[in-house]
Amino acid sequence: MNSFSPEQPATRAVEFRFDKRWRFVMPNSDVPTYSMAERDRRWELARHFMDREGLDALLVFGEHEDAGPAPVSYDTWFTNGRPGTTVLFAKNREPISLFPMELFIMDHLESSRRGDVMWIPPENVRASRDSRAIVATITELGLTSGTVGVVGLEPYPPWYPEGIVPYGLWNKVLAQLPNVEFRPTALAFLRLIMAMGQEEIAVVRHSARIGDEMVRAMVAAARPGAWESEVYAAAMTAAHTRGTVVPGMHFWSGPAPAASGPPQWAYRPQAPRVLRDGDVIRAEVFSHFGGRHTQHQVTIALGEVHEDLTRAASVARAAYDAGLRALRPGRKFGEIVEEMRKSVETADGWVFGPAIHGLNPMIGLSGFPGDISGRPGAEVYPSVPDKTTMLGDMLLEPGMSFAFEPNYAFGRHLAYLGGTVIVGEDGVIELNPYTAQILRAGSPDTPQGWRGPGLDTLPHFENASANP
């Protein structure tokens, strides 16, 4: 178990400030970074894991760098580098990083020239990560008759129900290394790394602060007559000016939006919707900093709130509070799910989706009813099986992070709220109480009229949709 003390963060908090014209001022204090001690801590954890599991090496597949929310980027846990590599870590050696293309080598070289501390030295870099490179590296390390744990073969729902390793690549590896015992080890390994160290926790705290600022920018930009894209851009500007690149958010608006996903104009050729008085914005904000993630569930009201939305928010908030009370070291993940579920069982509405899931990495997911026939208009769609809770037996440890996202709906009035929490030594550490409530557009805690840097120069959409 990693030592953890919320009262002693690894670095001091970074204060986000604005000048008199509400322009962002980059803080003078250092943002959190990872030391070589953090690298050594992680590598030693991996070596102990290999000893415990009877493994000679770990083969870790990383998803490409443009994956979006909840990427399968376990390679970066070993490298602190650009995602999208494959890592081979023999127990008695340092990790070797297999790059997908030569551009990764040039970025590694340029970062070194600029003084960045690289966890993987040039001699432990390989120029390809195809099946030939994997076979050659395993052979080079003398593992052709060894036992290799593989991270990437097991399901990663919902995006990868059968794992992320390509079928063609894996067949070639198996054919050329018939005497290697490849053993799926993702779930055991991911449980190991979920309990974060002090430096990781400081990075998550920083990500959570950025996420809150993204939401505050959305609240300030939301107003009748604005485009959805303006509100979206305000959030992205808030993140980018604070020195990070975040995944695209889930974003819907309307009188009663009961959906979750990217805005339609992100994947379909159409203009952004124009916001109206009485609208609700439903968003899931994904903040990301230094390879660590936070999530922020957002419900923003423009004008008067329908009483069914208020009732739904009360039910969701009760589940949120139940989760805060229950999240303690030594308890099982499934017990937390059940405590949050009890708070919604007596209401006469419906649950939209899961109420809690793990973060950093995103494992452990609360089950939820798959039956959608009772949802307005959904009776014509295929039936959906109930989802069971994943990793319900996982014991909570200090340093684990979770996304709290309780939700509830009456009719089509859906309230989604919550943020990121961390398991502390004696209780829960709530990082984002700001988003655990319905937010009002133009509320007093955001600068009135501030629309974020550069938003006045956005193009005008002549055919912007005004439809609900």
Side-chain angles (χ1 to χ4, degrees):
M1 180 183 298
N2 294 306
S3 62
F4 174 79
S5 173
E7 289 77 28
Q8 297 176 354
T11 62
R12 64 181 182 272
V14 176
E15 180 183 0
F16 297 132
R17 297 184 296 109
F18 294 83
D19 65 13
K20 292 181 179 179
R21 296 179 60 189
W22 293 109
R23 294 176 303 190
F24 177 69
V25 178
M26 187 62 72
N28 294 323
S29 56
D30 292 336
V31 299
T33 59
Y34 290 142
S35 68
M36 295 300 280
E38 172 62 15
R39 183 203 71 170
D40 295 343
R41 182 191 72 86
R42 296 185 188 185
W43 290 6
E44 199 58 29
L45 272 178
R47 291 188 178 100
H48 287 312
F49 176 80
M50 287 185 267
D51 276 335
R52 188 186 76 196
E53 300 292 324
L55 304 173
D56 299 306
L58 284 170
L59 179 61
V60 182
F61 289 88
E63 190 178 24
H64 65 89
E65 59 192 352
D66 301 318
V72 189
S73 55
Y74 308 130
D75 54 319
T76 64
W77 188 84
F78 294 90
T79 66
N80 193 31
R82 186 171 170 177
T85 65
T86 298
V87 173
L88 186 59
F89 190 0
K91 186 169 57 177
N92 58 350
R93 299 278 296 270
E94 291 187 347
I96 293 176
S97 184
L98 284 63
F99 286 0
M101 54 183 167
E102 63 277 5
L103 294 182
F104 275 57
I105 294 178
M106 299 311 298
D107 288 2
H108 190 280
L109 172 60
E110 187 63 26
S111 295
S112 299
R113 285 175 173 167
R114 294 185 179 196
D116 291 352
V117 178
M118 312 304 291
W119 286 12
I120 306 295
E123 59 268 24
N124 289 341
V125 166
R126 302 294 180 267
S128 174
R129 70 168 188 159
D130 60 13
S131 60
R132 289 178 296 178
I134 292 171
V135 170
T137 307
I138 288 176
T139 302
E140 170 194 338
L141 296 174
L143 298 170
T144 53
S145 59
T147 302
V148 178
V150 184
V151 178
L153 291 175
E154 292 162 282
Y156 187 85
W159 314 120
Y160 299 104
E162 309 295 338
I164 69 168
V165 181
Y167 175 84
L169 178 148
W170 194 238
N171 271 354
K172 292 176 182 177
V173 170
L174 293 178
Q176 295 178 60
L177 296 170
N179 296 321
V180 176
E181 179 189 352
F182 290 105
R183 188 184 302 167
T185 55
L187 288 181
F189 179 72
L190 300 184
R191 290 191 190 201
L192 173 79
I193 69 175
M194 193 174 179
M196 299 180 294
Q198 287 279 14
E199 294 185 21
E200 291 177 295
I201 291 165
V203 170
V204 169
R205 286 181 177 274
H206 190 74
S207 177
R209 287 191 291 269
I210 291 174
D212 271 352
E213 294 303 319
M214 293 172 68
V215 178
R216 292 180 190 278
M218 294 169 67
V219 169
R223 69 196 189 286
W227 316 305
E228 289 180 330
S229 54
E230 289 185 79
V231 180
Y232 194 103
M236 292 301 163
T237 299
H240 296 165
T241 54
R242 286 162 177 79
T244 191
V245 177
V246 298
M249 73 174 78
H250 292 177
F251 186 106
W252 279 77
S253 73
S260 180
Q264 304 99 301
W265 41 268
Y267 54 83
R268 188 180 296 137
Q270 64 186 63
R273 182 179 176 278
V274 175
L275 299 175
R276 294 176 171 179
D277 186 51
D279 274 352
V280 173
I281 294 173
R282 259 282 305 119
E284 188 169 14
V285 174
F286 306 105
S287 185
H288 175 119
F289 177 76
R292 289 293 171 265
H293 306 266
T294 55
Q295 292 189 9
H296 312 253
Q297 308 305 319
V298 179
T299 300
I300 302 173
L302 284 73
E304 293 299 317
V305 176
H306 194 284
E307 65 173 335
D308 283 346
L309 180 64
T310 303
R311 286 201 300 145
S314 296
V315 175
R317 178 68 203 210
Y320 180 88
D321 291 336
L324 292 182
R325 291 191 297 269
L327 200 73
R328 297 291 186 273
R331 300 201 67 182
K332 293 181 178 180
F333 175 67
E335 294 174 347
I336 314 306
V337 173
E338 289 306 313
E339 291 294 327
M340 298 181 76
R341 182 174 289 155
K342 288 177 185 176
S343 300
V344 305
E345 286 178 344
T346 58
D348 58 351
W350 53 278
V351 174
F352 180 82
I356 175 177
H357 65 75
L359 285 173
N360 305 304
M362 201 189 89
I363 61 172
L365 179 68
S366 66
F368 59 96
D371 182 13
I372 62 172
S373 59
R375 305 180 187 185
E379 61 276 358
V380 298
Y381 288 88
S383 61
V384 179
D386 287 353
K387 305 296 192 301
T388 58
T389 296
M390 295 172 50
L391 299 183
D393 65 337
M394 181 173 63
L395 291 177
L396 302 187
E397 298 181 31
M400 288 182 168
S401 56
F402 292 90
F404 270 23
E405 49 184 39
N407 53 88
Y408 205 76
F410 290 103
R412 291 186 49 82
H413 295 279
L414 169 65
Y416 232 124
L417 44 88
T420 300
V421 298
I422 297 177
V423 181
E425 292 285 359
D426 302 313
V428 64
I429 299 170
E430 183 185 14
L431 297 183
N432 305 109
Y434 176 59
T435 50
Q437 60 184 322
I438 294 178
L439 302 173
R440 305 294 184 127
S443 58
D445 61 347
T446 56
Q448 294 295 310
W450 180 69
R451 299 171 60 199
L455 290 181
D456 289 330
T457 64
L458 284 175
H460 177 65
F461 292 102
E462 294 292 344
N463 297 316
S465 171
N467 297 323

